[in-house]
């Protein structure tokens, strides 16, 4: 048996233990063979040496993270406790300051946090156009916006253009109140939210008023040449084949673009096909175009989002198997009916 006392004076105890000791409960579930007691700013671990050492190593990483950032969500807390591979641990250990993409308001740091988000950053640095495909919550848009803001601050580009197809997800634009801008703004809200995290409000207002940062529906890109810009096409799964081709041919000589999308959430009418799958397929091996796939392991939202995505993937697989089985039965039935007719 071994006992170790960890001092938590350098971090906010509420941030470490969680509201109503929610994070402490997660810690106890992760190490059920240990006796874990908290008293004030101290944490006492008792148990087998290897269990104590393993828990202390993870707790030290959490403390380092809290010292740097001041806050850690329950989702992150659970990630570091459950991640034993080198890539997961690397997301939380002290990193080179050059890894930071953007310093946001109030000292907030924005950086790529998962392996595939890091690959997205690298791919964008090496290629002028990058496709980032993955489910909701994997940080595609957020990471892309951070790279665009970094490029603007470093004067690598003169302008940021953020665009989305204004496609209805079950609602009708015509029923929304206000003029065209007021109708469209809700579709562009996630882009505004990302910018709010990275640029002070007064400076963001200035950038928007001078059109240094422009947020507009995809249809507004027609006929333009987007030169010396960092362009992000978000929710590209809702762009048709012609719209996506139009967008890709707008990019000027000094332009850089990231196209993000989730092929499982297409909101186009049934008679229209998404152009994202085709574009990413036929352009995948073109020199200068990068392609990154993100998955549920990159989810940085609530911990339940990952479970929800897995459940939907499992159900989709089940539906595909049922459909395949029904096709086989129909085919066998046709053969049976044909043979029966011939015998008659």
């Amino acid at each position: 048996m071994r006992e170790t006392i960890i001092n938590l004076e350098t971090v906010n105890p509420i941030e470490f233990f969680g509201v109503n000791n929610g994070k402490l409960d997660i810690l106890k579930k992760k190490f059920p063979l240990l006796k874990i007691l908290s008293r004030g700013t101290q944490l006492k671990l008792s148990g087998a040496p290897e269990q104590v050492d393993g828990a202390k190593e993870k707790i030290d990483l959490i403390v380092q993270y809290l010292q740097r950032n001041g806050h850690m969500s329950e989702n992150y807390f659970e990630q570091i406790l459950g991640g034993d591979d080198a890539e997961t641990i690397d997301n939380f250990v002290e990193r080179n300051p050059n890894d930071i993409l953007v310093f946001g308001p109030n000292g907030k740091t924005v950086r790529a946090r998962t392996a595939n988000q890091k690959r997205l950053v690298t791919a964008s640095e090496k290629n002028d156009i990058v496709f980032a495909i993955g489910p909701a919550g994997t940080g595609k848009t957020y990471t892309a916006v951070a790279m665009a803001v970094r490029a603007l601050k470093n004067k690598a580009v003169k302008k940021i253009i953020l665009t989305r197809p204004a496609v209805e997800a079950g609602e009708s634009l015509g029923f929304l109140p206000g003029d065209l801008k007021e109708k469209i703004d809700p579709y562009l809200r996630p882009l505004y939210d990302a910018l709010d995290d990275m640029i002070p409000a007064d400076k963001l207002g200035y950038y928007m008023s001078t059109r240094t940062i422009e947020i507009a529906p995809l249809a507004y890109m027609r006929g333009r040449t987007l030169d010396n810009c960092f362009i992000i096409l978000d929710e590209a799964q809702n762009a048709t084949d012609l719209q996506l081709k139009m967008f890709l041919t707008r990019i000027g000589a000094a332009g850089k673009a990231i196209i993000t999308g989730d092929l499982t959430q297409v909101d186009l009418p049934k008679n229209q096909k998404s152009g994202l799958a085709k574009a990413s397929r036929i352009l995948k091996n073109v020199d200068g175009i990068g392609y990154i796939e993100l998955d549920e392991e990159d989810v940085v939202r609530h911990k339940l989002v990952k479970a929800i995505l897995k459940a939907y993937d499992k159900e989709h697989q089940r539906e595909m198997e049922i459909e395949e089985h029904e096709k086989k039965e129909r085919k066998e039935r046709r053969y049976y009916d044909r043979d029966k007719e011939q015998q008659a």
Side-chain angles (χ1 to χ4, degrees):
M1 291 285 289
R2 178 186 295 174
E3 288 188 357
T4 296
I5 295 176
I6 301 173
N7 200 321
L8 303 172
E9 287 182 352
T10 58
V11 300
N12 184 342
I14 295 176
E15 284 294 339
F16 183 90
F17 294 117
V19 178
N20 296 324
N21 286 332
K23 293 177 183 175
L24 181 61
D25 292 339
I26 294 172
L27 179 63
K28 289 179 178 179
K29 286 179 183 177
K30 173 60 182 174
F31 296 96
L33 301 180
L34 285 181
K35 184 178 180 181
I36 302 175
L37 299 174
S38 63
R39 180 172 293 177
T41 59
Q42 290 187 333
L43 191 69
K44 183 178 178 181
L45 309 179
S46 304
E50 63 274 10
Q51 285 278 317
V52 171
D53 291 342
K56 186 178 184 305
E57 181 181 354
K58 296 296 180 68
I59 291 168
D60 286 344
L61 289 176
I62 291 170
V63 170
Q64 288 178 29
Y65 186 94
L66 286 172
Q67 286 172 339
R68 294 197 310 272
N69 300 283
H71 172 72
M72 174 181 277
S73 67
E74 281 195 8
N75 186 28
Y76 274 25
F77 192 87
E78 198 163 17
Q79 276 188 46
I80 191 59
L81 291 178
D84 296 319
D85 58 287
E87 282 188 342
T88 300
I89 292 173
D90 182 58
N91 287 330
F92 295 91
V93 298
E94 185 67 58
R95 286 163 285 192
N96 191 314
N98 293 330
D99 289 344
I100 297 171
L101 295 174
V102 179
F103 285 99
N106 303 318
K108 179 176 181 177
T109 58
V110 178
R111 65 176 94 214
R113 299 196 177 277
T114 71
N116 284 325
Q117 288 176 12
K118 291 177 182 178
R119 292 188 185 104
L120 174 56
V121 173
T122 301
S124 181
E125 290 170 348
K126 293 180 179 178
N127 300 278
D128 287 335
I129 298 175
V130 177
F131 286 88
I133 314 295
T138 50
K140 307 180 298 294
T141 303
Y142 199 80
T143 304
V145 171
M147 286 188 285
V149 172
R150 181 181 67 172
L152 182 65
K153 288 185 174 181
N154 292 343
K155 299 185 178 179
V157 296
K158 292 182 178 178
K159 189 171 185 176
I160 294 174
I161 296 178
L162 309 175
T163 184
R164 272 184 158 200
V167 174
E168 302 160 6
E171 301 86 11
S172 175
L173 280 171
F175 289 102
L176 293 174
D179 58 20
L180 181 61
K181 182 182 183 302
E182 290 170 328
K183 289 175 186 286
I184 289 171
D185 268 358
Y187 291 89
L188 307 174
R189 189 70 254 170
L191 301 174
Y192 287 108
D193 290 342
L195 289 171
D196 286 340
D197 276 358
M198 302 173 198
I199 302 175
D202 56 343
K203 197 163 190 177
L204 179 57
Y206 171 76
Y207 282 150
M208 300 286 283
S209 65
T210 58
R211 299 178 72 82
T212 302
I213 295 179
E214 181 182 347
I215 303 178
L218 178 59
Y220 287 26
M221 299 299 109
R222 191 174 298 277
R224 300 178 62 180
T225 299
L226 308 176
D227 195 13
N228 214 343
C229 300
F230 198 116
I231 317 138
I232 297 171
L233 171 57
D234 193 34
E235 299 288 344
Q237 77 275 4
N238 289 328
T240 64
D241 190 22
L242 290 176
Q243 285 176 327
L244 203 46
K245 182 180 177 182
M246 176 273 291
F247 171 79
L248 290 168
T249 54
R250 299 305 93 205
I251 301 168
K256 209 168 186 66
I258 296 180
I259 298 96
T260 71
D262 176 4
L263 290 169
T264 67
Q265 292 190 357
V266 178
D267 298 315
L268 289 168
K270 290 183 178 179
N271 62 338
Q272 292 184 349
K273 288 186 178 181
S274 169
L276 180 60
K278 178 180 177 180
S280 58
R281 184 183 75 253
I282 66 176
L283 300 175
K284 193 171 184 178
N285 297 316
V286 175
D287 190 35
I289 297 180
Y291 180 86
I292 300 294
E293 275 195 45
L294 299 96
D295 54 36
E296 63 269 8
E297 296 304 317
D298 299 294
V299 170
V300 291
R301 292 181 183 169
H302 193 284
K303 61 183 179 181
L304 287 177
V305 174
K306 189 181 294 187
I308 290 167
L309 289 171
K310 287 182 177 179
Y312 270 95
D313 286 344
K314 187 177 180 180
E315 178 62 16
H316 177 68
Q317 184 63 33
R318 189 185 74 85
E319 290 172 350
M320 293 289 288
E321 289 172 358
I322 291 173
E323 186 178 344
E324 191 63 33
H325 179 69
E326 289 175 348
K327 282 182 181 178
K328 186 177 179 182
E329 282 190 336
R330 287 195 296 269
K331 188 176 180 180
E332 290 175 351
R333 173 61 64 181
R334 285 197 301 270
Y335 284 136
Y336 174 78
D337 290 343
R338 187 187 66 185
D339 292 343
K340 194 173 181 181
E341 288 175 3
Q342 289 175 351
Q343 288 174 4

